[in-house]
Amino acid sequence: LAARATDPGEPEVAEAAQALLRRAARLAPDALRARPLAVLAHWGWWGGSTVEATALAEAALALDPGLSLAALVLELADHGVPPGWVRAGAPPRERSATRGRRTRRRPGRTPAEDHRG
């Protein structure tokens, strides 16, 4: 699933992988939530959503301060480092069916809280 999730010809696979990670982040006990949140943070950064990536990385680090993926995403976002596809001037390799559409968010909730349920 992971290898196919970034295939631009299979956006439904990327969407399914993201949905699985969101569900894991929402339903897992706190001790297991940090990793799916960190992966979602990286995915958000890669897709150009720095605000969501930052919120998810901060939520992951609050649960596991030593999680290097979340720390890396936060560093990249804090320093304004764009994904490689932006620097190269090429379109991203991944495009989910939901990219570019607004997702329903409960009023007053951050992206990280939305993944908690």
Side-chain angles (χ1 to χ4, degrees), residues 2-117:
R4 293 177 55 205
T6 57
D7 185 338
E10 298 190 67
E12 66 282 353
V13 176
E15 188 174 305
Q18 290 173 1
L20 179 64
L21 288 166
R22 285 191 299 272
R23 184 174 172 90
R26 187 174 60 251
L27 299 177
D30 283 351
L32 301 175
R33 292 183 55 232
R35 285 178 176 82
L37 287 171
V39 173
L40 286 166
H42 181 266
W43 215 319
W45 169 81
W46 180 257
S49 181
T50 305
V51 172
E52 183 174 13
T54 298
L56 291 166
E58 287 174 344
L61 288 170
L63 294 166
D64 183 351
L67 192 55
S68 59
L69 178 59
L72 175 63
V73 170
L74 202 53
E75 282 288 314
L76 292 168
D78 284 350
H79 289 92
V81 178
W85 64 266
V86 171
R87 292 189 306 272
R93 288 182 25 185
E94 65 176 326
R95 297 273 183 187
S96 76
T98 59
R99 184 175 163 89
R101 287 191 289 166
R102 292 182 181 252
T103 56
R104 283 189 179 172
R105 190 167 321 286
R106 294 181 188 138
R109 296 190 60 164
T110 67
E113 289 171 328
D114 242 12
H115 292 291
R116 180 63 174 160

